[in-house]
Amino acid sequence: MNSEVSGKLQVRAERKNRKRQEKKDQIAGSALKALQELGYANTSLRDIAEKSSLSLGMLHYYFEDRTELILHCVSVYKTAFTSLLNETVNHAHGREAVINALAGALATTIVEEASTHRLWYDLRSQALFDSAFRPVVEEIEETLIDILKLAATRADKADEIDASLGYALIDGVFRYQLQNQITGTPRDQKALAMEMRAVLELFL
Amino acid sequence: MNSEVSGKLQVRAERKNRKRQEKKDQIAGSALKALQELGYANTSLRDIAEKSSLSLGMLHYYFEDRTELILHCVSVYKTAFTSLLNETVNHAHGREAVINALAGALATTIVEEASTHRLWYDLRSQALFDSAFRPVVEEIEETLIDILKLAATRADKADEIDASLGYALIDGVFRYQLQNQITGTPRDQKALAMEMRAVLELFL
DNA sequence: ATTTAATCTGGACGATTGTCCAATAAAAGT
DNA sequence: ACTTTTATTGGACAATCGTCCAGATTAAAT
């Protein structure tokens, strides 16, 4: 009986935590929109509260401080982006298909979610100064490197590849494309995909 | 005689401007040190003033506002870095030498001037949000692309290269190396140079 | 030597920041 | 129905921010 009671309490506590966690995710999702627009340096908690129709106190109720909130935002970004890439790679068979699918997905996300990615680059730069951001940045990059390894496997690549180096190269091009998309002359998805395909063929 | 007088005045005004310009450069050089440590988002004018032993009013006397000061800092960075690379490339003859010299110089500057470069990446990310930073970022990247073209020429590269794409790839690796140097396990100059050499051989 | 201009100081200013809390409303548990 | 816990509000708070300026100091010009 004692175990039944403690079991009830446990279930209750878990449900409470899950609810709270979902609310945190939802808030982070809203906050993401404000951060995407203004960037890390110029987004205050009031900006986030306004653009999310939340009170300032709410943010503090769910998040210890500004840093924790922003870190949670990065996690939300990570989940969405890496699972997109993972599915893309997992649904392609053979070298040609993997390269095309990956290049296509990267090009599409540049066109459609440009301002989400620019926030990623902003926060990744922050991590160079603030160690609080480093674990989450490292985790995301490790996941991306793993995806690249997976891509190599599914592309029937025989010998091992230097996935870290590959990530660095691809990221360089991805970022440059993103920058041109935002600050320069935007190109259509097809052109971006073609360029990315050429880069991917160096590795896969 | 009238022209003599106006000539004198002109000389005087020019000397004044030159002096002021030199002072601005000197201040920007000091400010660079503060910015390198704390990053764009977390460096206040007071931080800069303290670390440079300057009064707050001085900064305002020479620079309209915070943005102008920081932009001037980027210019100082640009001059130093691009002229280093330019000389490096210009003193090398033939493909092997150009690749070795460039890879070596990039690796050395990562080891020795890591925190200067991380500020560059910080401000370049800022440019994705704040258009005030875009012209100077664009100018620097154009210069770097030109240096890559020059390197191709001096490496006796027959056919034209896509220097923009090459820049993106090299930058990706350079940034990744820098990040590992700062937030991960630092490597020695030789290891960095070797990796960079492999990347450069893809293009030159 | 005197006037004019440039340089520099130290601090004031209003605005904005992150953080926190007392009070209220809503939900959950009994 | 009542109590307890959770959620939410709106604003207070001290700290910090960029900007600006009156006045002192120094250099330049006459």
Side-chain angles (χ1 to χ4, degrees):
Chain A
M1 195 184 95
N2 208 337
S3 66
E4 278 181 31
V5 172
S6 71
K8 266 193 181 181
L9 287 176
Q10 199 181 330
V11 167
R12 196 176 298 164
E14 278 172 6
R15 196 178 51 186
K16 191 184 77 175
N17 280 343
R18 190 174 49 83
K19 199 181 169 190
R20 185 178 171 88
Q21 202 60 36
E22 281 171 5
K23 184 78 183 178
K24 284 182 80 167
D25 288 349
Q26 179 207 314
I27 292 179
S30 298
L32 215 40
K33 288 172 191 162
L35 281 164
Q36 283 169 19
E37 275 189 46
L38 301 170
Y40 170 79
N42 293 313
T43 307
S44 70
L45 289 178
R46 281 170 180 81
D47 290 326
I48 293 175
E50 281 180 24
K51 303 227 175 201
S52 316
S53 311
L54 294 169
S55 72
L56 202 49
M58 273 275 293
L59 297 180
H60 181 67
Y61 181 70
Y62 283 99
F63 299 95
E64 188 88 20
D65 54 22
R66 181 174 181 257
T67 299
E68 196 206 328
L69 168 57
I70 292 178
L71 284 176
H72 207 87
C73 290
V74 185
S75 287
V76 169
Y77 161 81
K78 174 222 154 92
T79 305
F81 184 52
T82 60
S83 64
L84 166 77
L85 290 184
N86 239 322
E87 284 190 24
T88 300
V89 171
N90 269 322
H91 284 68
H93 308 277
R95 190 179 121 97
E96 281 288 311
V98 168
I99 290 177
N100 280 333
L102 198 49
L106 291 173
T108 300
T109 198
I110 280 192
V111 172
E112 291 180 1
E113 286 127 359
S115 45
T116 311
H117 293 298
R118 78 171 163 183
L119 178 63
W120 156 249
Y121 286 116
D122 188 13
L123 296 174
R124 190 176 69 175
S125 295
Q126 269 307 302
L128 293 175
F129 295 93
D130 188 343
S131 59
F133 290 93
R134 287 175 194 173
V136 63
V137 165
E138 190 176 7
E139 189 196 333
I140 291 178
E141 290 192 319
E142 277 174 6
T143 305
L144 291 173
I145 290 170
D146 284 343
I147 291 175
L148 199 52
K149 285 177 187 163
L150 174 68
T153 303
R154 296 192 61 85
D156 304 320
K157 180 87 176 168
D159 44 341
E160 281 281 322
I161 63 162
D162 187 342
S164 293
L165 185 61
Y167 164 71
L169 288 161
I170 294 169
D171 176 71
V173 174
F174 185 81
R175 193 214 64 87
Y176 192 69
Q177 286 184 338
L178 176 73
Q179 178 177 272
N180 276 330
Q181 206 69 12
I182 293 175
T183 73
T185 337
R187 291 186 280 173
D188 61 8
Q189 192 268 358
K190 199 178 157 191
L192 297 173
M194 198 166 72
E195 189 175 56
M196 188 57 81
R197 213 177 296 131
V199 174
L200 291 179
E201 275 167 356
L202 292 176
F203 285 87
L204 302 180
Chain B
M1 197 185 95
N2 209 334
S3 65
E4 279 179 27
V5 171
S6 70
K8 267 193 179 178
L9 286 176
Q10 198 181 332
V11 166
R12 197 178 294 164
E14 278 171 7
R15 196 178 52 187
K16 193 185 75 176
N17 281 343
R18 190 173 49 82
K19 200 180 166 189
R20 185 179 172 88
Q21 202 60 35
E22 282 170 3
K23 184 77 183 179
K24 285 182 77 168
D25 288 350
Q26 179 209 313
I27 293 178
S30 298
L32 216 38
K33 288 171 191 162
L35 281 164
Q36 282 169 19
E37 275 188 45
L38 303 170
Y40 170 80
N42 294 312
T43 307
S44 69
L45 289 179
R46 283 170 179 81
D47 291 325
I48 293 174
E50 281 180 23
K51 303 227 176 201
S52 316
S53 310
L54 294 170
S55 73
L56 203 49
M58 271 276 293
L59 297 180
H60 182 67
Y61 181 70
Y62 283 99
F63 298 95
E64 189 85 21
D65 53 23
R66 182 173 178 257
T67 300
E68 197 206 328
L69 169 57
I70 292 179
L71 284 176
H72 208 85
C73 291
V74 185
S75 287
V76 169
Y77 162 81
K78 174 221 153 95
T79 305
F81 183 52
T82 61
S83 64
L84 166 76
L85 291 184
N86 239 321
E87 284 191 23
T88 301
V89 171
N90 269 322
H91 284 68
H93 308 279
R95 190 178 122 97
E96 281 287 311
V98 167
I99 290 177
N100 281 332
L102 198 48
L106 290 173
T108 299
T109 198
I110 280 191
V111 172
E112 291 180 0
E113 286 128 359
S115 45
T116 313
H117 294 298
R118 80 171 161 182
L119 178 63
W120 156 248
Y121 287 116
D122 188 14
L123 295 174
R124 190 177 69 174
S125 295
Q126 270 306 305
L128 293 176
F129 296 93
D130 188 343
S131 59
F133 290 93
R134 288 175 193 173
V136 64
V137 166
E138 190 176 7
E139 188 196 334
I140 292 179
E141 291 193 319
E142 277 174 6
T143 305
L144 291 173
I145 290 170
D146 283 344
I147 291 175
L148 200 53
K149 285 178 187 165
L150 173 67
T153 303
R154 296 192 61 85
D156 303 321
K157 181 88 176 166
D159 44 340
E160 282 281 320
I161 63 163
D162 186 342
S164 293
L165 185 61
Y167 163 72
L169 289 161
I170 294 170
D171 176 72
V173 175
F174 185 81
R175 193 213 66 86
Y176 192 69
Q177 287 184 338
L178 176 74
Q179 179 178 273
N180 277 330
Q181 204 70 10
I182 293 175
T183 74
T185 335
R187 292 184 282 173
D188 61 6
Q189 191 269 356
K190 200 178 155 189
L192 297 173
M194 199 167 71
E195 189 175 57
M196 188 56 81
R197 212 176 297 129
V199 175
L200 291 179
E201 274 168 356
L202 292 176
F203 285 88
L204 302 180

